[in-house]
Amino acid sequence: QVQLVQSGAEVKKPGASVKVSCKASGYIFTDYDVYWVRQGPGQALEWMARIHPRGGGTNYAGRFQGRLTVTRDTSISTVYMQLANLRSDDTAVYYCARESAAGRIVAGDYFDSWGQGTLVTVSS
Amino acid sequence: DIQMTQSPSSVSASVGDRVTITCRASRAISTWLGWYQQKPGRAPQLLIYAASSLESGVPSRFSGSGSGTEFTLTITSLQPEDFATYYCQQSNSLPFTFGPGTKVD
């Protein structure tokens, strides 16, 4: 079965960087896009980025441009999300998610499998 | 960016009730819309994609409709496990924005 397993919780100081990993299994890693979505405490979901694992191409939400880097290592079926220059309002649960298999048929970007989430706390 | 709004922000309902949630997009997105259910402390789960297509394994009491700028998610007979927060998400154009959520309690 499809599984996305994320790295553990992180506590960072303002101005630092964080790198979260997302290891995929149960499917052909290079066949499906992977996304990052975050959720602040008591807040809505916020889409951050997309990566095409086959070629490594990425798209980022404008508000994260310059601070966010998403990469992948196809040899270990893992995607990484690195957020730099952290602020207190970056405190959130960060999720990776896989492109929906059904959504691919209609060429839409939906997310059918999610990681368990990684809590990143930014505090001085 | 396309802005997504949802109404109501919360709804009080009982088991067996019919519940309807509305999602609006700031500009037309055809049928590029998904619905997700999220329970506290859990990752979201995809319910509906392409506005009206039911994701595999999702109970048929969930349905979606709409196109352009206005969409609805309907739960025909609310079950105890349906008490959760529901989000819409547009996949028409980057960035793929979510609505603010509707809590069903």
Side-chain angles (χ1 to χ4, degrees):
Chain A
Q1 75 283 19
V2 175
Q3 264 197 312
L4 300 174
V5 178
Q6 299 181 221
S7 49
E10 303 263 12
V11 179
K12 296 291 183 181
K13 293 192 182 302
S17 296
V18 68
K19 191 171 187 177
V20 179
S21 67
C22 170
K23 183 171 178 59
S25 61
Y27 70 98
I28 299 173
F29 177 68
T30 50
D31 279 358
Y32 293 83
D33 292 349
V34 174
Y35 306 80
W36 288 91
V37 175
R38 76 176 185 179
Q39 187 170 37
Q43 296 183 15
L45 301 166
E46 180 177 24
W47 185 88
M48 299 177 67
R50 172 179 70 182
I51 187 166
H52 308 293
R54 187 175 299 275
T58 53
N59 302 99
Y60 300 113
R63 62 171 293 176
F64 298 108
Q65 287 284 358
R67 289 206 299 144
L68 178 61
T69 305
V70 176
T71 56
R72 94 290 189 224
D73 184 338
T74 57
S75 69
I76 55 172
S77 300
T78 299
V79 174
Y80 302 93
M81 185 281 298
Q82 182 166 1
L83 189 60
N85 194 19
L86 289 167
R87 307 185 291 250
S88 57
D89 62 357
D90 291 318
T91 293
V93 175
Y94 289 75
Y95 293 102
C96 61
R98 194 199 74 160
E99 177 186 16
S100 159
R104 288 185 72 198
I105 297 172
V106 298
D109 293 78
Y110 308 102
F111 323 126
D112 68 355
S113 298
W114 295 68
Q116 80 276 22
T118 296
L119 175 62
V120 175
T121 303
V122 182
S123 174
S124 55
Chain B
D1 298 0
I2 296 176
Q3 307 302 317
M4 307 300 292
T5 59
Q6 290 181 233
S7 59
S9 57
S10 66
V11 56
S12 292
S14 300
V15 172
D17 284 353
R18 179 186 182 94
V19 174
T20 299
I21 299 168
T22 298
C23 174
R24 290 183 176 86
S26 60
R27 60 181 170 88
I29 59 169
S30 184
T31 56
W32 299 113
L33 187 99
W35 288 97
Y36 298 81
Q37 176 194 71
Q38 187 181 31
K39 296 178 180 178
R42 305 289 298 273
Q45 176 191 354
L46 178 65
L47 301 175
I48 302 285
Y49 63 95
S52 61
S53 296
L54 194 68
E55 173 72 354
S56 176
V58 174
S60 59
R61 62 181 180 272
F62 291 93
S63 65
S65 65
S67 67
T69 61
E70 188 160 326
F71 303 85
T72 59
L73 173 71
T74 300
I75 311 171
T76 52
S77 178
L78 196 70
Q79 297 301 299
E81 60 269 30
D82 300 337
F83 290 95
T85 300
Y86 294 85
Y87 294 94
C88 60
Q89 171 245 328
Q90 64 84 15
S91 67
N92 179 79
S93 60
L94 293 164
F96 301 131
T97 43
F98 289 88
T102 296
K103 186 174 184 179
V104 178
D105 58 18

